[in-house]
Amino acid sequence: MTEYGRGSGPEPWHPEDPLYGDPGWGGHEAQQGQMPYGGGPQQQYPQEPQYQQQYVQQDPYAQHPQHAEQLQGYAPQQPHPAQQMQQPQQMQPVQQMQQQTYAGQGQAWDTGQLQYADPVQTVDPVQIVDPYAGAEPYAQQPIGGFPGEAPDLYGTDEAYPPPQPPGRRHLAPEPGLDEEDEDASDGDADAPAGGGRRAGRGKGGKGKGKGKKKDSRTACLVAAVVILGVIGGGGYYGYSYLKARFGAAEDYTGSGTGESVEVEIPQNATLAQMGRILKERGVVASTEAFIAAAQANKKGTSIQAGVYTLKKQMSAMSAVQVMVDPSKLNVLTIPEGWRAVEIYKAIDKKLGKPEGTTAQIAKQESKDLGLPAWAANNAKIRDPLEGFLYPARYDLSKDSTPQSLLKQMIRNANDKYAAIGIEEKAKALGLENPLQLVTVASLVQVEGNKHEDFRKMSEVIYNRLKKTNDVTNQKLEFDSTINYLKNTSNINVTREETRKLDDPYNTYFYKGLTPGPISNPGSDAINAALDPDKGGWMFFVSVDGNTTTFTKTFAEHEKLVAQFNERQSKKSGG
């Protein structure tokens, strides 16, 4: 047994403990005569003999401390000194009092008060009223005038802080005491209960302290891993940046492996875009190396768009040397004014096909290559594809075929003709159908020596087609038409040939336009056919073969023809 009664720990509670005498909570002391909340029986702890001689007024705040698990309410307390002054008859030695015990669970509880036969029935209701209701619970109590009275532990400079509610007493550690010390104190069953702390949380306290330490170590480890990851990642990217910024660009050596690859460079591509395309195709090792090699080459900025046949793992310098050479482009270029038969031969040669392969395909599959409905509306047309193989550069690949190239050329021509509104323009110019407008353009392309002559040549054609033309009787009389039907390029056509050759394409023999185009006109010739000159030109002749002279009258034309014949006679030695 201890001096003040045994708590949950092995040490007694000291009277100066702010929790001493506070097994419950109400913000003030319970009045004498009040029963503990709950009304249940309480355990009796006998007092030591030497303290049985003390008066009840010795400690107005003394209570019997109870264990946390056993508390049911407030234990009765001794009356306040002020009350003792009003009730002197109650100030009797404890040893002379008859102690009343409440039986319950085989134990007795010493109330330290007068005997009451029935605590519920005999307690005066007036005494149950709380005299401190509505007052400040921590206000300083009046100091009693009796000697030996205990000092007010809450009203001095060294006072302990007021007691806290049970649910908040251990929420935060006291200043100066860290969590580790708190856990250690709470978990040590032999630690003293003084200093304003309860002793002996038991195993639960120890387990909680260990959990906090383990969580702290885990958090530190995670933080260290994150920091190391950030430092490592930053170092890697920093090294990569410095290497890319100041180090030599990655590059292959030599002219590449034996594996070939086709690379298509789009129109208006920059050197950086070219480098990325080449790197993706496995030709160069890095974009930076290609840019540096192209800038070091005088022709590096003149690399054309198109398809190049290159090798994998080439040095950037080797790749640039191939690409600055236009002949290395894997393309097929169709010049303006080429006839269809010339284009067929070029396709066979470029694709490595036997001669005549493309011409045969064009003849047999003409209806399946995408020609417009108005293209082949004349049964006398020698080649329905003539005038629809649009002159341009065509990129080739390993998948290119004669059919694919012909379809692409016809598609380009259709796009061009649709863009100009060829059907409406043909009617506006007095032509029978759009095909005749393409035919005019093909004649302008062949007969016009230079682009600046195209609009004058276009006017000559339209003037000769007029019904009022009584000079040529609506005949064009173009040598180019004779050369087309004979598949030649001889500009010196005799009068005898023009009069004897009976063919729809002989414009000396037949009036009007040829059945179809005689070449594949380009953009300038098409535009000239749409917008002829207004100078009144009716005739033209090229005296030296380079310069074309246009005249309005037949007399002027005859003089130019005489000069031309004389020049031709001198060349032949006549």
Side-chain angles (χ1 to χ4, degrees):
M1 303 296 288
T2 63
E3 293 181 337
Y4 300 100
R6 185 175 301 277
S8 59
E11 296 297 333
W13 283 5
H14 196 276
E16 295 183 355
D17 189 341
L19 303 179
Y20 175 75
D22 184 27
W25 176 254
H28 54 272
E29 296 88 4
Q31 296 299 313
Q32 180 179 3
Q34 290 181 351
M35 294 300 295
Y37 293 123
Q42 302 294 326
Q43 182 178 357
Q44 178 181 1
Y45 292 98
Q47 296 181 351
E48 294 295 332
Q50 63 269 22
Y51 288 97
Q52 294 178 358
Q53 301 295 329
Q54 301 294 332
Y55 290 96
V56 177
Q57 68 179 9
Q58 180 178 2
D59 189 352
Y61 301 105
Q63 296 179 354
H64 294 283
Q66 302 297 324
H67 192 273
E69 288 80 9
Q70 295 177 352
L71 288 177
Q72 300 294 330
Y74 296 123
Q77 299 179 349
Q78 296 296 334
H80 194 272
Q83 296 175 346
Q84 291 180 355
M85 293 177 64
Q86 298 176 2
Q87 301 175 1
Q89 68 275 10
Q90 296 180 5
M91 299 173 54
Q92 300 178 5
V94 176
Q95 64 182 0
Q96 297 178 3
M97 294 182 179
Q98 296 180 358
Q99 297 179 348
Q100 179 180 356
T101 59
Y102 297 112
Q105 299 179 357
Q107 296 178 345
W109 177 50
D110 184 5
T111 65
Q113 308 293 329
L114 295 177
Q115 295 182 4
Y116 298 97
D118 188 348
V120 177
Q121 298 177 358
T122 61
V123 173
D124 188 358
V126 177
Q127 296 180 354
I128 299 178
V129 178
D130 188 355
Y132 298 95
E136 175 65 28
Y138 300 115
Q140 184 175 356
Q141 302 293 336
I143 301 176
F146 291 91
E149 185 178 65
D152 185 2
L153 299 180
Y154 301 110
T156 65
D157 296 338
E158 296 80 16
Y160 289 97
Q164 298 293 324
R168 298 178 55 188
R169 289 176 182 170
H170 300 287
L171 291 179
E174 295 180 4
L177 183 64
D178 57 14
E179 293 181 0
E180 183 176 354
D181 294 338
E182 180 184 3
D183 295 336
S185 175
D186 291 343
D188 188 358
D190 297 332
R197 303 193 57 77
R198 291 178 182 263
R201 287 189 181 179
K203 294 181 181 181
K206 288 184 180 182
K208 183 177 181 180
K210 290 183 180 180
K212 290 183 178 179
K213 293 181 181 180
K214 183 176 181 180
D215 293 342
S216 300
R217 289 194 296 268
T218 303
C220 292
L221 179 59
V222 172
V225 172
V226 172
I227 293 173
L228 290 176
V230 172
I231 295 175
Y236 171 77
Y237 285 109
Y239 169 76
S240 302
Y241 171 78
L242 292 176
K243 181 179 179 182
R245 182 68 177 82
F246 302 104
E250 188 178 359
D251 196 3
Y252 295 124
T253 58
S255 58
T257 63
E259 183 178 359
S260 296
V261 59
E262 292 182 344
V263 179
E264 182 176 0
I265 302 299
Q267 292 288 341
N268 302 320
T270 63
L271 292 178
Q273 292 172 334
M274 295 180 188
R276 286 193 291 269
I277 294 173
L278 293 173
K279 181 181 178 181
E280 292 174 358
R281 299 290 292 165
V283 177
V284 298
S286 66
T287 302
E288 293 77 10
F290 175 80
I291 294 174
Q295 292 175 344
N297 192 303
K298 295 181 179 180
K299 299 180 180 179
T301 57
S302 63
I303 297 176
Q304 300 181 27
V307 178
Y308 294 87
T309 301
L310 302 169
K311 294 181 179 180
K312 286 193 173 183
Q313 298 184 2
M314 298 178 69
S315 67
M317 183 179 295
S318 299
V320 170
Q321 288 177 351
V322 172
M323 298 176 71
V324 296
D325 185 359
S327 64
K328 301 298 182 180
L329 278 170
N330 191 14
V331 298
L332 174 62
T333 302
I334 305 300
E336 296 176 348
W338 269 22
R339 300 169 186 167
V341 292
E342 296 176 284
I343 296 174
Y344 300 153
K345 292 179 180 179
I347 293 175
D348 289 342
K349 182 178 181 181
K350 194 66 180 181
L351 297 182
K353 302 295 183 180
E355 186 175 353
T357 300
T358 305
Q360 187 68 21
I361 292 173
K363 182 178 180 181
Q364 295 177 352
E365 303 180 16
S366 61
K367 295 182 180 180
D368 301 325
L369 298 176
L371 291 172
W374 48 263
N377 59 357
N378 193 329
K380 298 179 180 180
I381 293 176
R382 300 177 70 91
D383 190 337
L385 271 58
E386 196 77 75
F388 293 92
L389 303 178
Y390 194 75
R393 195 188 75 181
Y394 295 91
D395 298 324
L396 306 179
S397 67
K398 60 182 180 180
D399 298 326
S400 296
T401 62
Q403 290 90 338
S404 66
L405 286 174
L406 293 175
K407 288 181 179 179
Q408 188 175 0
M409 294 175 185
I410 294 173
R411 182 167 59 250
N412 288 347
N414 289 338
D415 293 342
K416 175 64 176 177
Y417 298 147
I420 66 176
I422 192 170
E423 296 188 35
E424 292 77 10
K425 291 295 178 65
K427 293 180 180 179
L429 291 169
L431 300 174
E432 296 179 4
N433 51 61
L435 182 60
Q436 287 190 340
L437 182 55
V438 178
T439 302
V440 172
S442 70
L443 293 170
V444 170
Q445 182 74 65
V446 175
E447 291 287 347
N449 193 29
K450 299 178 181 178
H451 285 196
E452 54 265 29
D453 297 335
F454 283 173
R455 294 186 66 239
K456 292 181 178 180
M457 188 65 66
S458 176
E459 185 184 11
V460 169
I461 296 172
Y462 286 116
N463 285 336
R464 293 190 179 185
L465 291 176
K466 290 180 179 179
K467 296 180 178 180
T468 58
N469 175 18
D470 55 0
V471 178
T472 64
N473 296 319
Q474 301 179 14
K475 294 179 180 178
L476 294 179
E477 295 184 349
F478 285 174
D479 294 346
S480 58
T481 61
I482 304 297
N483 287 325
Y484 179 78
L485 65 89
K486 294 176 61 175
N487 196 22
T488 62
S489 298
N490 185 11
I491 63 173
N492 189 8
V493 179
T494 65
R495 287 289 181 174
E496 186 176 356
E497 284 182 303
T498 60
R499 292 173 181 176
K500 292 182 178 180
L501 188 57
D502 186 2
D503 190 281
Y505 282 84
N506 184 359
T507 55
Y508 287 96
F509 199 89
Y510 288 93
K511 295 180 180 181
L513 295 170
T514 56
I518 64 171
S519 71
N520 293 277
S523 178
D524 289 343
I526 294 172
N527 292 333
L530 295 173
D531 184 22
D533 192 73
K534 301 299 189 292
W537 312 115
M538 191 70 174
F539 305 94
F540 64 94
V541 66
S542 177
V543 179
D544 57 3
N546 296 319
T547 303
T548 301
T549 304
F550 293 88
T551 62
K552 299 178 181 180
T553 63
F554 183 72
E556 294 173 336
H557 175 67
E558 286 293 324
K559 291 180 181 180
L560 294 176
V561 172
Q563 294 176 7
F564 173 77
N565 292 332
E566 183 179 356
R567 186 181 295 273
Q568 292 296 113
S569 173
K570 290 180 180 180
K571 287 182 178 180
S572 63

